[in-house]
Amino acid sequence: MERVLVTGGAGFIGSNFVKLLLGRKRKVHVTVLDKLTYAGNLKNLEEVINRRDFTFIKGDICNKKILDEILPRTDIIYNFAAETHVDRSILEAGSFVRTDIVGTYTLLQKTLEHKIDRFVQVSTDEVYGSIARGKFRETDPIEPNSPYSASKSGADLLVRAFHVTYGLPVLITRSSNNYGPFQHPEKFIPLFITNALEGNPMPLYGDGRNVRDWIHVDDNCRAIELVGRRGKVGEVYNIGAGEEKENIYIARKIIDLVGASEDLLTLVTDRPGHDRRYALDSKKINRLGWKKRVGFDKGLETTVRWYRRNESWWRPIKKGAFKKYYSAMYGKRISQASKRKGKR
Ligand code: NAD
Ligand code: TYD
């Protein structure tokens, strides 16, 4: 039986990934190592937490001692653990450098010492920077623009170096923006869905015309699992669904699906260094045998339905510390936008 370590498995993509692994016929034992930061939530793992083929350990990927305890019982590592929100990285970059770079380095070093079969680094298309036309390929240079994407790039380069220098059996996935159930309500799609449900302003950055290539989390999880099982060691795999959408298109769709008022749409001061467009060439993962199953419009509809039915999951998150973050990030921008609206 394969023994799998999923770091960051109490977060959005990691928790969906754990459920995918445990839902398969193939017998595995899954251990989650997660620090339970503001983004980690044990409720995301409720349906698997008591299973005998599942173990949860609260801890930091920077903690060598914990890794020395877990890794002798591990065959394959999927490293999802990271600080992940671009906006937070603009407010405070230190925790991104610590977890995304130093944490990944610590895991790599311990993976080497404990002779693990495979190390899958879960990375992002944001390492490539912004692209005006065409699509990013795996061979394109890394040109990150935010402290988040720079930290993830640092991790990717260390992963590559551990392969080239020490022969560590690594693989890297770079997926585009994910959406789906259990995504923290500070990220674009869940923030807009929950604000619409609450009747609160939906703060669109800049002109609302930035483009992201959206992928449903289930599709990404299937691709990551495939890379872990069948990918070629030392290689990078882009994972995108080819669903390029402007933010304003998504915001309008959410308004329609929720039945909210157009007046909630609020253009606010742009994010500094805001990448204009991401788009991925995913032919390499297609050749490995993966293709998307969930189209964007259908996926958004089921996601809106999930947030509607799971208020008991997101409402508590939006209380407490979230409020402080929200007012630091949006308070001034939204009141400026309301003043501008009032003058018209
Ligand atoms: P998330 O923020 O929802 O979850 C991150 C998880 O990591 C949380 O459970 C958190 O508690 C945990 N964590 C943070 N620091 C840790 C540490 N030092 N030690 C152990 N655990 C720690 O993030 P997500 O959206 O699920 O993203 C997962 C991974 O996928 C990240 O590596 C991210 O860079 C990558 N990714 C995300 C997207 C996306 O659209 N969400 C797209 C491409 C790649
Ligand atoms: P986000 O979910 O933060 O992902 P990323 O920046 O990593 O791609 O944002 C997705 C897009 O939505 C991005 O272009 C920024 C935009 N956005 C807004 O317009 N308003 C918001 O409140 C947020 C959180 C994001």
Side-chain angles (χ1 to χ4, degrees), residues 11-13 34-35 37 40 60-61 80 84 99 123 148 152 178:
F12 164 48
I13 309 177
D34 196 297
K35 189 179 173 183
T37 66
D60 192 324
I61 56 166
F80 289 83
T84 62
T99 287
S123 185
Y148 162 64
K152 292 294 289 187
N178 285 226

Side-chain angles (χ1 to χ4, degrees), residues 59 75 144 212 228 237 304:
D75 300 312
R212 298 291 182 263
Y237 292 87
V304 167

Side-chain angles (χ1 to χ4, degrees), residues 7-15 32-41 44 57-63 79-85 95 98-100 103 121-126 148 152 173-179 182-184 186-187 214-215 217 220 224 239:
T7 70
F12 164 48
I13 309 177
S15 63
V32 163
L33 172 65
D34 196 297
K35 189 179 173 183
L36 294 182
T37 66
Y38 80 96
N41 187 347
N44 299 358
I57 297 169
K58 182 173 182 222
D60 192 324
I61 56 166
C62 299
N63 183 334
N79 184 28
F80 289 83
E83 288 292 340
T84 62
H85 192 177
S95 57
R98 184 175 179 278
T99 287
D100 302 8
Q121 173 67 5
V122 179
S123 185
T124 163
D125 62 354
E126 301 195 24
Y148 162 64
K152 292 294 289 187
T173 65
R174 292 191 183 137
S175 87
S176 57
N177 286 62
N178 285 226
Y179 68 99
F182 298 101
Q183 186 167 30
H184 192 283
E186 70 181 14
K187 297 284 176 83
W214 292 92
I215 183 168
V217 65
N220 187 27
I224 294 170
I239 306 172

